[in-house]
Amino acid sequence: MIGLKSTLNVIDNSGALLVECVNILKQKVNNGWGGVGDEIVCVVKRARPVSAAAQNSVTAVKVRKGDVRRAVIVRTRKSIQRPDGRIIRFDDNAAVLLNNKREMLGTRIGGVVSADLRMKGWGKIVSLAPKTYPELRLNA
C-alpha cells in the first residue's frame, strides 16, 4: 500500500527517476491508501539530466524535476495476499508515469511488475514489461 508522501521509483524511460505521491485517485474505500494498479498524482523529485544537444532531439527527456504527473503503481513493498493464499511482496515501491489520456509516457519498462496489473486494466504495461511476477495461472 502506498500512502501520501510515499516515494516511488520510476521504471519507464520517461526521464523521471524518483517521484513522490501527493494524491491517490480512486474511490475512498481504502482510506487514502493505494495498491498495485491504482492511479496516483505525483511530483517528480529526481530526473535524468538533460544536455543542450539532447534537448532538441526526438528522444528528449519528457519530464523535469518538479513536474506534476499521473502514474500507476506497479510494485509495492507492502505484502498482498492472493486468493489462492500466496503472499506477494516486492523490494521497493515503483510506478510508471502516464499522460493526461491515461497512456504510458515512456515507451519501455525496465523492471519487474506485478501480474495483478492485467486484471486491473493495465495490460499494456504488463505486455511491455520484461517480466511479471508472479505469473498468474487462471486455469490451474
Side-chain angles (χ1 to χ4, degrees):
M1 297 296 204
I2 301 293
L4 298 180
K5 300 291 184 184
S6 296
T7 57
L8 298 96
N9 296 325
V10 179
I11 61 169
D12 61 9
N13 64 342
S14 60
L17 297 174
L18 192 71
V19 295
E20 180 181 345
C21 174
V22 293
N23 193 9
I24 293 129
L25 301 174
K26 60 185 239 178
Q27 284 76 27
K28 304 296 185 200
V29 293
N30 212 357
N31 295 328
W33 295 95
V36 171
D38 290 337
E39 206 172 327
I40 63 172
V41 177
C42 56
V43 177
V44 177
K45 288 293 181 184
R46 214 168 62 211
R48 290 189 185 95
V50 183
S51 66
Q55 198 167 7
N56 297 329
S57 71
V58 176
T59 60
V61 176
K62 298 175 176 73
V63 295
R64 297 174 190 266
K65 181 179 174 183
D67 284 357
V68 177
R69 296 283 179 168
R70 290 187 177 201
V72 62
I73 301 169
V74 295
R75 290 193 305 245
T76 59
R77 283 184 55 89
K78 176 71 177 154
S79 56
I80 53 174
Q81 188 167 5
R82 289 274 176 81
D84 62 357
R86 289 187 291 177
I87 296 175
I88 310 304
R89 183 177 177 274
F90 293 97
D91 290 337
D92 64 342
N93 299 320
V96 172
L97 294 184
L98 304 173
N99 63 11
N100 293 334
K101 298 183 204 172
R102 295 185 69 201
E103 300 167 346
M104 287 180 42
L105 201 58
T107 55
R108 293 182 183 164
I109 293 182
V112 179
V113 300
S114 176
D116 295 335
L117 286 169
R118 190 180 305 276
M119 293 184 294
K120 302 244 177 131
W122 299 103
K124 172 83 172 178
I125 294 173
V126 176
S127 65
L128 285 176
K131 186 173 180 182
T132 60
Y133 183 80
E135 299 295 332
L136 286 177
R137 292 184 182 90
L138 300 175
N139 297 336

